């Protein structure tokens, strides 16, 4: 079987554009996921029972159901409740960040729990409020420890974002499908798509390794 | 200064403190001794609410402990020094001393730094201001921890076995700092196994066992002619 490089060459601009959109969804989702995850992660450790249970339900629901189903829920089921159609881009970001938030919440919870309780006691005994202790004492230490798992989550999200192609959102995978529908060159295009994903994930993992080295000294 | 009445603390079904009444005067140095598991650390930790009392009242400097706002008010006035130092490892020595005065007392950086340098000089560590805790020995870390507590200008200091995690050759440098503080008139409550310190620096020694104050009095009286059998038997094992 011969590879038709011309097809790849012609498809490349469209695919790279799709890759750009993939990066966009991933960055936005992980960014929002970080925010959700930080809040929910702290909530899971709350001494207020209601807060803790709500956070537990969220994390259990998201981790216990497939992302694909979550995307369908946001895109198809939500409009039935609200009565108006939802933009695929919004749906994609919403589903991915809610999903990512649950995993990142667990990462934060583990990170915070790994910090010695004596640190909290020292902060509180100096008169710092709970929030100040979290912000100045616990989080800076926890953050360094969770850089590696956060990097993994970013890579996982980048790959999983291919699932939003099912609601017609034109990221990298969807672009590939559309080009194949026109050219029938499935082997070449999927190979190119795979390679572009690989370059992106490899770059991220190198970057995370760099961050890890940089923060290891202190 | 500190008034504790009928303090009880349970961990689940375990009664750790069973009715403690204790008054500590200003400038007094009170040393709490007792076997492990006697509740002495728990008693100390109740004073600044690191442990929530099950029942009883604690008043510090006229403020009664109740509710989050009061707790923070008391914690500002009562410093604590821990067995394992608990310095913030991601901050330099100087930053450790600046955090609470700037965030809680709202001092400017310049004011807080000036104050911090004075305190570091006092504990003999002004040259280590820019070092990180992990670069210091245990004794140095504990001296920084004392300076950090002092940076809040507390009215009283609580010491929870401050020398128990130290190598023997470093105990003296920490005790010397504590001795200086006592001479300057700091109100201190010290849980320790250092009987020499209790004898020399303490105004009053309190023997706690089974969650109750068994006996208390001036160090000489406790160490030489304890009245209670339990006190005698404890002291005979450690002296």
């Amino acid at each position: 079987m011969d590879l038709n490089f011309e097809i790849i060459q012609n498809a490349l601009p469209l695919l790279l554009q799709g890759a750009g959109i993939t990066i966009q969804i991933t960055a936005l989702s992980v960014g929002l996921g970080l925010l959700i995850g930080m809040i929910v992660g702290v909530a899971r450790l709350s001494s207020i029972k209601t807060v803790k249970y709500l956070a537990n339900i969220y994390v259990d629901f998201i981790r216990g159901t497939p992302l694909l189903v979550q995307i369908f829920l946001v895109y198809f089921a939500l409009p039935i409740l609200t009565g108006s159609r939802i933009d695929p881009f919004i749906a994609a970001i919403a589903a991915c960040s809610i999903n990512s938030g649950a995993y990142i919440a667990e990462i934060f919870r583990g990170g915070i729990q790994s910090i010695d309780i004596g640190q909290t006691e020292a902060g509180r005994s100096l008169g710092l409020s709970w929030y100040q202790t979290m912000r100045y004492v616990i989080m800076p230490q926890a953050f360094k420890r969770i850089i590696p798992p956060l990097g993994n989550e970013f890579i996982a999200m980048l790959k999983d974002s291919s699932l939003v192609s099912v609601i017609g959102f034109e990221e990298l995978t969807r672009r590939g499908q559309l080009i194949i529908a026109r050219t029938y060159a499935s082997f070449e295009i999927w190979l190119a798509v795979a390679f572009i994903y690989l370059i992106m994930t490899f770059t991220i993992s190198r970057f995370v390794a760099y961050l890890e080295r940089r923060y290891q000294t202190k | 200064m500190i008034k504790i009445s009928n303090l009880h603390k349970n961990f689940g079904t375990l009664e750790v403190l069973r009715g403690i009444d204790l008054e500590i005067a200003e400038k007094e140095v009170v040393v709490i001794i007792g076997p492990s598991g006697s509740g002495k650390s728990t008693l100390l930790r109740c004073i600044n609410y690191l442990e929530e009392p099950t029942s009883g009242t604690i008043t510090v400097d006229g403020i009664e402990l109740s509710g989050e706002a009061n707790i923070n008010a008391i914690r500002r006035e009562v410093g604590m020094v821990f067995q394992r130092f608990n310095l913030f490892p991601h901050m330099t020595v100087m930053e450790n001393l600046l955090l609470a005065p700037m965030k809680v007392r709202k001092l400017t950086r310049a004011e807080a730094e000036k104050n911090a340098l004075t305190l570091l000089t006092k504990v003999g560590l002004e040259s280590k201001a820019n070092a990180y805790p992990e670069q210091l020995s245990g004794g140095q870390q504990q001296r920084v921890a004392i300076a950090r507590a002092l940076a809040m200008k507390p009215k009283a200091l609580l010491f929870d076995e401050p020398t128990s995690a130290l190598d023997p050759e470093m105990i003296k440098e920490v005790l010397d700092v504590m001795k200086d503080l006592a001479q300057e008139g700091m109100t201190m409550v010290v849980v320790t196994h250092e009987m020499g310190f209790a004898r020399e620096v303490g105004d009053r020694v309190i023997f706690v066992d089974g969650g109750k104050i068994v006996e208390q009095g001036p160090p000489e009286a406790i160490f030489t002619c304890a009245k209670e059998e339990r006190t005698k038997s404890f002291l005979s094992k450690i002296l």
Side-chain angles (χ1 to χ4, degrees):
Chain A
M1 144 139 223
D2 291 321
L3 274 180
N4 187 341
F5 281 103
E6 214 185 307
I7 288 180
I8 296 180
Q9 215 173 18
N10 290 339
L12 210 54
L14 274 176
L15 289 179
L16 287 179
Q17 213 180 24
I21 295 168
T22 289
I23 290 174
Q24 217 176 34
I25 311 179
T26 309
L28 271 170
S29 300
V30 175
L32 286 170
L34 264 175
L35 203 70
I36 299 173
M38 199 185 308
I39 296 167
V40 176
V42 171
R44 287 201 79 176
L45 297 169
S46 174
S47 51
I48 306 163
K49 288 231 165 71
T50 324
V51 171
K52 186 169 156 174
Y53 288 148
L54 284 176
N56 285 352
I57 290 170
Y58 163 68
V59 171
D60 287 343
F61 179 79
I62 297 299
R63 295 205 309 172
T65 54
L67 175 58
L68 188 59
V69 174
Q70 291 161 17
I71 293 169
F72 284 145
L73 267 176
V74 171
Y75 190 62
F76 294 115
L78 215 56
I80 295 171
L81 291 176
T82 60
S84 59
R85 264 184 71 92
I86 185 167
D87 182 71
F89 181 73
I90 307 274
I93 299 287
C96 288
S97 50
I98 291 171
N99 180 273
S100 195
Y103 288 94
I104 294 177
E106 281 300 272
I107 294 173
F108 265 102
R109 183 175 66 94
I112 292 168
Q113 277 179 324
S114 76
I115 305 299
D116 189 288
I117 182 77
Q119 291 289 308
T120 307
E121 293 184 346
R124 298 309 303 274
S125 77
L126 285 165
L128 295 172
S129 67
W130 175 86
Y131 174 77
Q132 287 173 324
T133 306
M134 265 293 163
R135 167 147 182 219
Y136 300 110
V137 178
I138 306 301
M139 281 298 183
Q141 297 184 60
F143 214 80
K144 275 178 215 167
R145 293 194 191 174
I146 66 177
I147 288 173
L150 276 183
N152 289 341
E153 174 56 26
F154 202 93
I155 289 169
M157 194 71 254
L158 188 118
K159 293 184 291 177
D160 289 350
S161 71
S162 63
L163 288 171
V164 302
S165 59
V166 296
I167 56 173
F169 188 67
E170 284 191 38
E171 40 65 72
L172 178 55
T173 301
R174 182 73 184 151
R175 281 284 161 86
Q177 284 176 332
L178 292 174
I179 295 167
I180 291 163
R182 220 173 49 228
T183 61
Y184 301 107
S186 46
F187 186 54
E188 283 89 345
I189 299 299
W190 284 134
L191 201 64
V193 166
F195 203 69
I196 296 173
Y197 272 114
L198 183 64
I199 291 169
M200 291 194 288
T201 52
F202 186 75
T203 310
I204 296 168
S205 72
R206 291 292 87 196
F207 180 65
V208 171
Y210 159 77
L211 283 182
E212 219 179 312
R213 268 198 314 278
R214 208 186 119 183
Y215 285 111
Q216 216 166 31
T217 45
K218 280 284 161 325
Chain B
M1 175 81 221
I2 299 171
K3 188 166 188 264
I4 299 167
S5 43
N6 200 22
L7 176 66
H8 287 260
K9 172 69 188 174
N10 302 344
F11 289 114
T13 55
L14 183 71
E15 281 186 85
V16 180
L17 297 178
R18 300 187 294 167
I20 300 267
D21 292 290
L22 180 61
E23 257 186 81
I24 295 159
E26 212 175 319
K27 302 194 174 182
E28 193 179 12
V29 178
V30 172
V31 178
I32 303 177
I33 60 172
S36 60
S38 61
K40 55 191 193 303
S41 277
T42 307
L43 167 59
L44 193 74
R45 290 160 60 85
C46 278
I47 297 177
N48 69 351
Y49 226 77
L50 284 182
E51 301 292 351
E52 191 179 344
T54 306
S55 68
T57 58
I58 297 168
T59 320
V60 177
D61 198 31
I63 314 166
E64 191 181 324
L65 265 181
S66 58
E68 185 78 5
N70 269 359
I71 294 168
N72 285 336
I74 284 183
R75 283 174 177 158
R76 279 198 287 274
E77 308 305 334
V78 180
M80 184 146 192
V81 175
F82 299 88
Q83 182 175 354
R84 296 199 295 109
F85 333 131
N86 295 346
L87 293 178
F88 307 133
H90 58 301
M91 297 179 185
T92 63
V93 165
M94 179 53 89
E95 288 164 346
N96 265 276
L97 265 67
L98 293 183
L99 181 64
M102 286 175 63
K103 299 297 171 198
V104 181
R105 293 257 191 246
K106 309 286 180 200
L107 295 187
T108 64
R109 177 170 281 271
E111 290 170 323
E113 265 178 7
K114 191 168 156 252
N115 185 25
L117 268 178
T118 313
L119 290 170
L120 286 177
T121 310
K122 186 190 181 107
V123 299
L125 290 170
E126 67 277 18
S127 62
K128 301 289 185 189
N130 295 315
Y132 281 88
E134 62 178 7
Q135 298 166 308
L136 305 179
S137 72
Q140 290 172 329
Q141 288 192 45
Q142 192 62 299
R143 278 144 66 199
V144 172
I146 293 173
R148 180 177 69 177
L150 289 172
M152 282 297 284
K153 300 197 190 302
K155 298 196 168 105
L157 270 187
L158 311 175
F159 292 85
D160 189 5
E161 303 201 25
T163 56
S164 298
L166 295 176
D167 291 333
E169 75 271 21
M170 291 170 186
I171 290 175
K172 189 173 174 297
E173 64 188 58
V174 171
L175 291 181
D176 284 345
V177 169
M178 290 167 64
K179 224 180 281 179
D180 289 345
L181 283 176
Q183 271 153 16
E184 288 165 23
M186 174 61 78
T187 309
M188 292 162 63
V189 186
V190 186
V191 170
T192 187
H193 297 293
E194 293 295 324
M195 296 305 149
F197 175 85
R199 221 172 189 148
E200 191 184 341
V201 184
D203 295 315
R204 183 164 36 136
V205 171
I206 293 178
F207 175 66
V208 175
D209 193 15
K212 283 184 164 166
I213 293 179
V214 175
E215 189 168 2
Q216 56 179 309
E220 279 316 306
I222 297 287
F223 287 122
T224 54
C225 48
K227 294 185 194 72
E228 300 289 330
E229 269 317 308
R230 273 192 289 173
T231 317
K232 280 186 213 165
S233 114
F234 173 72
L235 289 173
S236 71
K237 280 178 212 143
I238 58 161
L239 284 180

